[in-house]
CSV table of all heavy atoms in Angstrom, one decimal:
chain,number,residue,atom,x,y,z
S,98,ALA,N,-11.3,-12.6,-17.2
S,98,ALA,CA,-10.2,-13.0,-18.1
S,98,ALA,C,-10.4,-12.2,-19.4
S,98,ALA,O,-11.5,-11.7,-19.8
S,98,ALA,CB,-10.3,-14.5,-18.4
S,99,ALA,N,-9.3,-12.2,-20.2
S,99,ALA,CA,-9.3,-11.7,-21.6
S,99,ALA,C,-9.8,-10.3,-21.7
S,99,ALA,O,-10.6,-10.0,-22.6
S,99,ALA,CB,-10.1,-12.6,-22.5
S,100,LEU,N,-9.4,-9.4,-20.8
S,100,LEU,CA,-9.7,-7.9,-20.9
S,100,LEU,C,-8.4,-7.3,-21.2
S,100,LEU,O,-7.7,-6.9,-20.2
S,100,LEU,CB,-10.4,-7.4,-19.7
S,100,LEU,CG,-11.8,-7.9,-19.4
S,100,LEU,CD1,-12.4,-7.4,-18.1
S,100,LEU,CD2,-12.8,-7.5,-20.5
S,101,PRO,N,-8.0,-7.1,-22.4
S,101,PRO,CA,-6.6,-6.7,-22.7
S,101,PRO,C,-6.3,-5.3,-22.3
S,101,PRO,O,-5.1,-5.0,-22.2
S,101,PRO,CB,-6.6,-6.8,-24.3
S,101,PRO,CG,-8.0,-6.7,-24.7
S,101,PRO,CD,-8.8,-7.3,-23.6
S,102,ALA,N,-7.3,-4.4,-22.1
S,102,ALA,CA,-6.9,-3.0,-21.7
S,102,ALA,C,-7.2,-2.7,-20.2
S,102,ALA,O,-7.0,-1.6,-19.8
S,102,ALA,CB,-7.8,-2.1,-22.6
S,103,LEU,N,-7.6,-3.7,-19.4
S,103,LEU,CA,-8.0,-3.5,-18.0
S,103,LEU,C,-6.8,-3.1,-17.2
S,103,LEU,O,-5.8,-3.8,-17.1
S,103,LEU,CB,-8.7,-4.7,-17.5
S,103,LEU,CG,-9.3,-4.6,-16.1
S,103,LEU,CD1,-10.5,-3.6,-16.1
S,103,LEU,CD2,-9.8,-5.9,-15.5
S,104,ARG,N,-7.0,-1.9,-16.6
S,104,ARG,CA,-5.9,-1.4,-15.7
S,104,ARG,C,-6.4,-1.1,-14.3
S,104,ARG,O,-5.6,-1.2,-13.4
S,104,ARG,CB,-5.4,0.0,-16.3
S,104,ARG,CG,-4.7,-0.2,-17.7
S,104,ARG,CD,-3.5,-1.0,-17.6
S,104,ARG,NE,-2.8,-1.1,-18.9
S,104,ARG,CZ,-3.0,-1.9,-19.9
S,104,ARG,NH1,-4.0,-2.8,-19.7
S,104,ARG,NH2,-2.3,-1.9,-21.0
S,105,GLN,N,-7.7,-0.8,-14.1
S,105,GLN,CA,-8.2,-0.5,-12.8
S,105,GLN,C,-9.4,-1.4,-12.5
S,105,GLN,O,-10.3,-1.5,-13.3
S,105,GLN,CB,-8.6,1.0,-12.7
S,105,GLN,CG,-7.4,1.9,-13.0
S,105,GLN,CD,-7.9,3.4,-13.0
S,105,GLN,OE1,-9.1,3.6,-13.1
S,105,GLN,NE2,-7.0,4.3,-13.0
S,106,LEU,N,-9.4,-2.0,-11.3
S,106,LEU,CA,-10.6,-2.8,-10.8
S,106,LEU,C,-10.9,-2.5,-9.4
S,106,LEU,O,-10.0,-2.5,-8.5
S,106,LEU,CB,-10.3,-4.3,-11.0
S,106,LEU,CG,-11.3,-5.3,-10.4
S,106,LEU,CD1,-12.6,-5.1,-11.2
S,106,LEU,CD2,-10.8,-6.7,-10.5
S,107,ASP,N,-12.2,-2.2,-9.1
S,107,ASP,CA,-12.6,-1.9,-7.8
S,107,ASP,C,-13.7,-2.9,-7.4
S,107,ASP,O,-14.8,-2.9,-7.9
S,107,ASP,CB,-13.2,-0.5,-7.7
S,107,ASP,CG,-13.4,0.0,-6.3
S,107,ASP,OD1,-13.4,-0.8,-5.3
S,107,ASP,OD2,-13.5,1.2,-6.1
S,108,LEU,N,-13.4,-3.7,-6.4
S,108,LEU,CA,-14.4,-4.7,-5.8
S,108,LEU,C,-14.7,-4.4,-4.4
S,108,LEU,O,-15.3,-5.2,-3.7
S,108,LEU,CB,-13.8,-6.1,-5.9
S,108,LEU,CG,-13.6,-6.7,-7.3
S,108,LEU,CD1,-12.8,-8.0,-7.2
S,108,LEU,CD2,-14.9,-7.0,-8.0
S,109,SER,N,-14.5,-3.2,-4.0
S,109,SER,CA,-14.7,-2.8,-2.6
S,109,SER,C,-16.2,-2.9,-2.2
S,109,SER,O,-17.1,-2.8,-3.0
S,109,SER,CB,-14.3,-1.3,-2.4
S,109,SER,OG,-12.9,-1.1,-2.7
S,110,GLY,N,-16.4,-3.1,-0.9
S,110,GLY,CA,-17.7,-3.1,-0.3
S,110,GLY,C,-18.6,-4.3,-0.7
S,110,GLY,O,-19.8,-4.2,-0.6
S,111,ASN,N,-18.0,-5.4,-1.2
S,111,ASN,CA,-18.7,-6.6,-1.5
S,111,ASN,C,-18.4,-7.7,-0.5
S,111,ASN,O,-17.2,-7.9,-0.1
S,111,ASN,CB,-18.3,-7.1,-2.9
S,111,ASN,CG,-18.9,-6.3,-4.0
S,111,ASN,OD1,-20.1,-6.2,-4.2
S,111,ASN,ND2,-18.0,-5.6,-4.8
S,112,PRO,N,-19.4,-8.4,0.0
S,112,PRO,CA,-19.1,-9.4,1.0
S,112,PRO,C,-18.6,-10.7,0.4
S,112,PRO,O,-19.3,-11.8,0.4
S,112,PRO,CB,-20.5,-9.6,1.6
S,112,PRO,CG,-21.5,-9.3,0.5
S,112,PRO,CD,-20.8,-8.2,-0.3
S,113,LEU,N,-17.4,-10.7,-0.2
S,113,LEU,CA,-16.9,-11.8,-0.9
S,113,LEU,C,-16.7,-13.0,0.0
S,113,LEU,O,-16.2,-12.9,1.1
S,113,LEU,CB,-15.6,-11.5,-1.6
S,113,LEU,CG,-15.6,-10.4,-2.7
S,113,LEU,CD1,-14.2,-10.1,-3.2
S,113,LEU,CD2,-16.5,-10.9,-3.9
S,114,VAL,N,-17.1,-14.2,-0.5
S,114,VAL,CA,-16.8,-15.4,0.2
S,114,VAL,C,-16.0,-16.4,-0.7
S,114,VAL,O,-15.5,-17.4,-0.2
S,114,VAL,CB,-18.1,-16.2,0.7
S,114,VAL,CG1,-18.8,-15.3,1.8
S,114,VAL,CG2,-19.0,-16.5,-0.4
S,115,SER,N,-16.0,-16.1,-2.0
S,115,SER,CA,-15.2,-16.9,-2.9
S,115,SER,C,-14.6,-16.0,-4.0
S,115,SER,O,-15.2,-15.2,-4.6
S,115,SER,CB,-16.2,-17.9,-3.6
S,115,SER,OG,-15.5,-18.6,-4.6
S,116,LEU,N,-13.3,-16.1,-4.1
S,116,LEU,CA,-12.5,-15.4,-5.1
S,116,LEU,C,-11.5,-16.4,-5.7
S,116,LEU,O,-10.6,-16.8,-5.1
S,116,LEU,CB,-11.7,-14.3,-4.5
S,116,LEU,CG,-10.7,-13.5,-5.4
S,116,LEU,CD1,-11.5,-12.8,-6.5
S,116,LEU,CD2,-9.9,-12.5,-4.6
S,117,SER,N,-11.8,-16.8,-7.0
S,117,SER,CA,-11.0,-17.8,-7.6
S,117,SER,C,-9.6,-17.3,-7.9
S,117,SER,O,-9.5,-16.2,-8.5
S,117,SER,CB,-11.7,-18.3,-8.9
S,117,SER,OG,-10.8,-19.1,-9.7
S,118,PRO,N,-8.6,-18.0,-7.6
S,118,PRO,CA,-7.2,-17.6,-8.0
S,118,PRO,C,-7.1,-17.5,-9.5
S,118,PRO,O,-6.1,-16.9,-10.0
S,118,PRO,CB,-6.3,-18.7,-7.4
S,118,PRO,CG,-7.1,-19.3,-6.3
S,118,PRO,CD,-8.6,-19.2,-6.8
S,119,LEU,N,-8.0,-18.1,-10.3
S,119,LEU,CA,-8.0,-18.0,-11.7
S,119,LEU,C,-9.0,-17.0,-12.3
S,119,LEU,O,-9.5,-17.1,-13.4
S,119,LEU,CB,-8.3,-19.4,-12.3
S,119,LEU,CG,-7.2,-20.5,-12.0
S,119,LEU,CD1,-7.7,-21.8,-12.6
S,119,LEU,CD2,-5.9,-20.1,-12.7
S,120,ALA,N,-9.4,-16.1,-11.4
S,120,ALA,CA,-10.4,-15.1,-11.9
S,120,ALA,C,-10.0,-14.3,-13.1
S,120,ALA,O,-10.8,-13.9,-13.9
S,120,ALA,CB,-10.7,-14.1,-10.7
S,121,PHE,N,-8.7,-14.1,-13.2
S,121,PHE,CA,-8.2,-13.3,-14.4
S,121,PHE,C,-7.7,-14.3,-15.5
S,121,PHE,O,-7.0,-13.8,-16.4
S,121,PHE,CB,-7.0,-12.4,-14.0
S,121,PHE,CG,-7.5,-11.3,-13.0
S,121,PHE,CD1,-7.5,-11.5,-11.6
S,121,PHE,CD2,-7.9,-10.1,-13.5
S,121,PHE,CE1,-7.9,-10.5,-10.8
S,121,PHE,CE2,-8.3,-9.1,-12.7
S,121,PHE,CZ,-8.3,-9.3,-11.3
S,122,GLY,N,-8.0,-15.5,-15.4
S,122,GLY,CA,-7.6,-16.5,-16.4
S,122,GLY,C,-6.2,-17.0,-16.1
S,122,GLY,O,-5.6,-16.7,-15.1
S,123,GLU,N,-5.7,-17.9,-17.0
S,123,GLU,CA,-4.4,-18.5,-16.8
S,123,GLU,C,-3.3,-17.6,-17.3
S,123,GLU,O,-2.1,-17.9,-17.0
S,123,GLU,CB,-4.4,-19.9,-17.4
S,123,GLU,CG,-5.4,-20.9,-16.7
S,123,GLU,CD,-5.3,-22.2,-17.3
S,123,GLU,OE1,-4.5,-22.4,-18.2
S,123,GLU,OE2,-6.1,-23.1,-16.9
S,124,GLY,N,-3.6,-16.7,-18.2
S,124,GLY,CA,-2.5,-15.9,-18.8
S,124,GLY,C,-2.2,-14.7,-18.1
S,124,GLY,O,-1.3,-13.9,-18.5
S,125,GLY,N,-2.8,-14.4,-17.0
S,125,GLY,CA,-2.6,-13.2,-16.2
S,125,GLY,C,-3.3,-12.0,-16.7
S,125,GLY,O,-4.2,-12.1,-17.7
S,126,SER,N,-3.1,-10.8,-16.2
S,126,SER,CA,-3.8,-9.6,-16.5
S,126,SER,C,-2.9,-8.4,-16.5
S,126,SER,O,-1.9,-8.4,-15.7
S,126,SER,CB,-4.9,-9.4,-15.5
S,126,SER,OG,-5.5,-8.1,-15.6
S,127,PRO,N,-3.2,-7.4,-17.3
S,127,PRO,CA,-2.4,-6.2,-17.3
S,127,PRO,C,-2.8,-5.2,-16.2
S,127,PRO,O,-2.3,-4.1,-16.1
S,127,PRO,CB,-2.7,-5.5,-18.7
S,127,PRO,CG,-4.1,-6.0,-19.0
S,127,PRO,CD,-4.2,-7.4,-18.4
S,128,LEU,N,-3.6,-5.7,-15.2
S,128,LEU,CA,-4.2,-4.9,-14.2
S,128,LEU,C,-3.1,-4.1,-13.4
S,128,LEU,O,-2.1,-4.7,-13.0
S,128,LEU,CB,-5.0,-5.7,-13.2
S,128,LEU,CG,-5.9,-5.0,-12.2
S,128,LEU,CD1,-7.1,-4.3,-13.0
S,128,LEU,CD2,-6.5,-5.9,-11.2
S,129,GLU,N,-3.3,-2.8,-13.1
S,129,GLU,CA,-2.4,-2.0,-12.4
S,129,GLU,C,-2.9,-1.6,-11.0
S,129,GLU,O,-2.1,-1.3,-10.1
S,129,GLU,CB,-2.0,-0.8,-13.2
S,129,GLU,CG,-1.3,-1.1,-14.5
S,129,GLU,CD,-1.0,0.1,-15.3
S,129,GLU,OE1,-1.4,1.2,-14.9
S,129,GLU,OE2,-0.3,0.0,-16.4
S,130,GLU,N,-4.2,-1.5,-10.9
S,130,GLU,CA,-4.8,-1.0,-9.6
S,130,GLU,C,-5.9,-1.9,-9.2
S,130,GLU,O,-6.8,-2.2,-10.0
S,130,GLU,CB,-5.3,0.4,-9.7
S,130,GLU,CG,-4.2,1.4,-10.1
S,130,GLU,CD,-4.7,2.9,-10.1
S,130,GLU,OE1,-5.8,3.1,-9.5
S,130,GLU,OE2,-4.0,3.8,-10.6
S,131,LEU,N,-5.9,-2.4,-7.9
S,131,LEU,CA,-6.9,-3.3,-7.4
S,131,LEU,C,-7.3,-2.8,-6.0
S,131,LEU,O,-6.5,-2.7,-5.1
S,131,LEU,CB,-6.4,-4.7,-7.3
S,131,LEU,CG,-7.3,-5.8,-6.7
S,131,LEU,CD1,-8.6,-5.9,-7.5
S,131,LEU,CD2,-6.6,-7.1,-6.6
S,132,ALA,N,-8.6,-2.5,-5.9
S,132,ALA,CA,-9.2,-2.1,-4.6
S,132,ALA,C,-10.1,-3.1,-4.1
S,132,ALA,O,-11.0,-3.6,-4.7
S,132,ALA,CB,-9.9,-0.7,-4.9
S,133,LEU,N,-9.8,-3.5,-2.8
S,133,LEU,CA,-10.6,-4.5,-2.1
S,133,LEU,C,-11.0,-4.0,-0.7
S,133,LEU,O,-11.0,-4.8,0.2
S,133,LEU,CB,-9.9,-5.8,-2.0
S,133,LEU,CG,-9.7,-6.6,-3.4
S,133,LEU,CD1,-8.6,-7.6,-3.3
S,133,LEU,CD2,-11.0,-7.3,-3.8
S,134,ARG,N,-11.3,-2.8,-0.6
S,134,ARG,CA,-11.7,-2.2,0.7
S,134,ARG,C,-13.0,-2.8,1.2
S,134,ARG,O,-14.0,-2.8,0.5
S,134,ARG,CB,-11.9,-0.7,0.6
S,134,ARG,CG,-10.6,0.1,0.0
S,134,ARG,CD,-10.9,1.5,-0.1
S,134,ARG,NE,-10.9,2.2,1.2
S,134,ARG,CZ,-9.9,2.8,1.7
S,134,ARG,NH1,-8.7,2.8,1.1
S,134,ARG,NH2,-9.9,3.4,2.9
S,135,GLY,N,-12.9,-3.4,2.4
S,135,GLY,CA,-14.1,-4.0,3.0
S,135,GLY,C,-14.6,-5.2,2.3
S,135,GLY,O,-15.8,-5.6,2.5
S,136,ALA,N,-13.8,-5.9,1.5
S,136,ALA,CA,-14.3,-7.0,0.7
S,136,ALA,C,-13.7,-8.4,1.2
S,136,ALA,O,-13.9,-9.4,0.6
S,136,ALA,CB,-14.0,-6.8,-0.8
S,137,LEU,N,-12.8,-8.3,2.2
S,137,LEU,CA,-12.0,-9.5,2.6
S,137,LEU,C,-12.3,-9.9,4.0
S,137,LEU,O,-11.4,-10.4,4.7
S,137,LEU,CB,-10.5,-9.3,2.4
S,137,LEU,CG,-10.1,-8.9,1.0
S,137,LEU,CD1,-8.6,-8.6,1.0
S,137,LEU,CD2,-10.4,-10.0,0.0
S,138,ARG,N,-13.5,-9.8,4.4
S,138,ARG,CA,-13.9,-10.2,5.8
S,138,ARG,C,-13.8,-11.7,6.0
S,138,ARG,O,-13.7,-12.2,7.1
S,138,ARG,CB,-15.3,-9.7,6.1
S,138,ARG,CG,-15.5,-8.2,6.0
S,138,ARG,CD,-14.9,-7.5,7.2
S,138,ARG,NE,-14.9,-6.0,7.1
S,138,ARG,CZ,-14.6,-5.2,8.1
S,138,ARG,NH1,-14.2,-5.7,9.3
S,138,ARG,NH2,-14.7,-3.9,8.0
S,139,ASP,N,-14.0,-12.5,4.9
S,139,ASP,CA,-13.9,-13.9,5.0
S,139,ASP,C,-12.5,-14.4,4.9
S,139,ASP,O,-11.7,-14.0,4.0
S,139,ASP,CB,-14.8,-14.6,3.9
S,139,ASP,CG,-14.8,-16.1,4.0
S,139,ASP,OD1,-13.9,-16.7,3.4
S,139,ASP,OD2,-15.7,-16.6,4.6
S,140,GLN,N,-12.0,-15.2,5.9
S,140,GLN,CA,-10.6,-15.7,5.9
S,140,GLN,C,-10.3,-16.5,4.6
S,140,GLN,O,-9.2,-16.4,4.1
S,140,GLN,CB,-10.4,-16.5,7.1
S,140,GLN,CG,-8.9,-17.0,7.3
S,140,GLN,CD,-7.9,-15.9,7.5
S,140,GLN,OE1,-8.3,-14.8,7.9
S,140,GLN,NE2,-6.7,-16.2,7.4
S,141,GLY,N,-11.2,-17.3,4.1
S,141,GLY,CA,-11.0,-18.1,2.9
S,141,GLY,C,-10.7,-17.2,1.7
S,141,GLY,O,-9.8,-17.5,0.9
S,142,VAL,N,-11.4,-16.1,1.6
S,142,VAL,CA,-11.1,-15.2,0.5
S,142,VAL,C,-9.7,-14.5,0.6
S,142,VAL,O,-9.1,-14.4,-0.4
S,142,VAL,CB,-12.2,-14.1,0.5
S,142,VAL,CG1,-11.9,-13.0,-0.6
S,142,VAL,CG2,-13.6,-14.7,0.1
S,143,LEU,N,-9.3,-14.2,1.8
S,143,LEU,CA,-8.0,-13.7,2.0
S,143,LEU,C,-6.9,-14.6,1.5
S,143,LEU,O,-5.9,-14.3,0.8
S,143,LEU,CB,-7.7,-13.3,3.5
S,143,LEU,CG,-6.4,-12.8,3.8
S,143,LEU,CD1,-6.1,-11.5,3.1
S,143,LEU,CD2,-6.2,-12.6,5.3
S,144,LEU,N,-7.1,-15.9,1.8
S,144,LEU,CA,-6.1,-16.9,1.4
S,144,LEU,C,-6.2,-17.1,-0.1
S,144,LEU,O,-5.1,-17.3,-0.8
S,144,LEU,CB,-6.4,-18.3,2.1
S,144,LEU,CG,-6.3,-18.3,3.6
S,144,LEU,CD1,-6.7,-19.6,4.2
S,144,LEU,CD2,-4.8,-18.0,4.0
S,145,SER,N,-7.4,-17.0,-0.7
S,145,SER,CA,-7.5,-17.1,-2.2
S,145,SER,C,-6.8,-16.0,-2.8
S,145,SER,O,-6.1,-16.1,-3.9
S,145,SER,CB,-9.0,-17.2,-2.6
S,145,SER,OG,-9.6,-18.3,-2.1
S,146,LEU,N,-7.0,-14.8,-2.3
S,146,LEU,CA,-6.3,-13.6,-2.8
S,146,LEU,C,-4.8,-13.8,-2.7
S,146,LEU,O,-4.0,-13.4,-3.7
S,146,LEU,CB,-6.7,-12.3,-2.0
S,146,LEU,CG,-5.9,-11.1,-2.4
S,146,LEU,CD1,-6.2,-10.7,-3.9
S,146,LEU,CD2,-6.3,-9.9,-1.5
S,147,ALA,N,-4.3,-14.3,-1.6
S,147,ALA,CA,-2.8,-14.5,-1.5
S,147,ALA,C,-2.3,-15.5,-2.6
S,147,ALA,O,-1.3,-15.3,-3.2
S,147,ALA,CB,-2.5,-15.1,-0.1
S,148,THR,N,-3.1,-16.5,-2.8
S,148,THR,CA,-2.7,-17.5,-3.9
S,148,THR,C,-2.7,-16.8,-5.2
S,148,THR,O,-1.8,-17.0,-6.0
S,148,THR,CB,-3.7,-18.7,-3.9
S,148,THR,OG1,-3.8,-19.3,-2.6
S,148,THR,CG2,-3.4,-19.7,-4.9
S,149,LEU,N,-3.7,-16.0,-5.5
S,149,LEU,CA,-3.8,-15.2,-6.8
S,149,LEU,C,-2.6,-14.3,-6.9
S,149,LEU,O,-2.0,-14.3,-8.0
S,149,LEU,CB,-5.1,-14.4,-6.8
S,149,LEU,CG,-5.3,-13.4,-7.9
S,149,LEU,CD1,-5.3,-14.1,-9.3
S,149,LEU,CD2,-6.5,-12.6,-7.7
S,150,LEU,N,-2.2,-13.6,-5.9
S,150,LEU,CA,-1.1,-12.7,-6.0
S,150,LEU,C,0.2,-13.4,-6.1
S,150,LEU,O,1.1,-13.0,-6.9
S,150,LEU,CB,-1.1,-11.8,-4.7
S,150,LEU,CG,-2.3,-10.8,-4.5
S,150,LEU,CD1,-2.1,-10.1,-3.2
S,150,LEU,CD2,-2.4,-9.9,-5.7
S,151,GLN,N,0.3,-14.5,-5.4
S,151,GLN,CA,1.6,-15.3,-5.5
S,151,GLN,C,1.8,-16.0,-6.8
S,151,GLN,O,2.9,-16.4,-7.2
S,151,GLN,CB,1.6,-16.3,-4.3
S,151,GLN,CG,1.8,-15.6,-3.0
S,151,GLN,CD,1.6,-16.6,-1.8
S,151,GLN,OE1,0.8,-17.5,-1.9
S,151,GLN,NE2,2.2,-16.4,-0.7
S,152,SER,N,0.7,-16.2,-7.5
S,152,SER,CA,0.8,-16.9,-8.8
S,152,SER,C,1.5,-16.1,-9.9
S,152,SER,O,1.9,-16.7,-10.9
S,152,SER,CB,-0.7,-17.3,-9.3
S,152,SER,OG,-1.4,-16.1,-9.7
S,153,GLY,N,1.6,-14.8,-9.7
S,153,GLY,CA,2.2,-14.0,-10.7
S,153,GLY,C,1.2,-13.4,-11.7
S,153,GLY,O,1.6,-12.8,-12.7
S,154,ALA,N,-0.1,-13.7,-11.6
S,154,ALA,CA,-1.1,-13.3,-12.5
S,154,ALA,C,-1.2,-11.8,-12.6
S,154,ALA,O,-1.7,-11.2,-13.5
S,154,ALA,CB,-2.4,-13.9,-12.2
Side-chain angles (χ1 to χ4, degrees):
L100 292 174
L103 188 63
R104 298 294 186 272
Q105 301 172 347
L106 174 63
D107 192 344
L108 291 170
S109 301
N111 286 297
L113 294 177
V114 294
S115 174
L116 174 62
S117 172
L119 296 174
F121 294 90
E123 296 182 0
S126 168
L128 194 69
E129 295 176 356
E130 299 183 17
L131 176 59
L133 289 161
R134 302 178 75 93
L137 301 175
R138 299 283 176 172
D139 183 271
Q140 181 68 16
V142 172
L143 177 63
L144 296 176
S145 297
L146 174 65
T148 302
L149 170 62
L150 296 178
Q151 290 169 330
S152 72

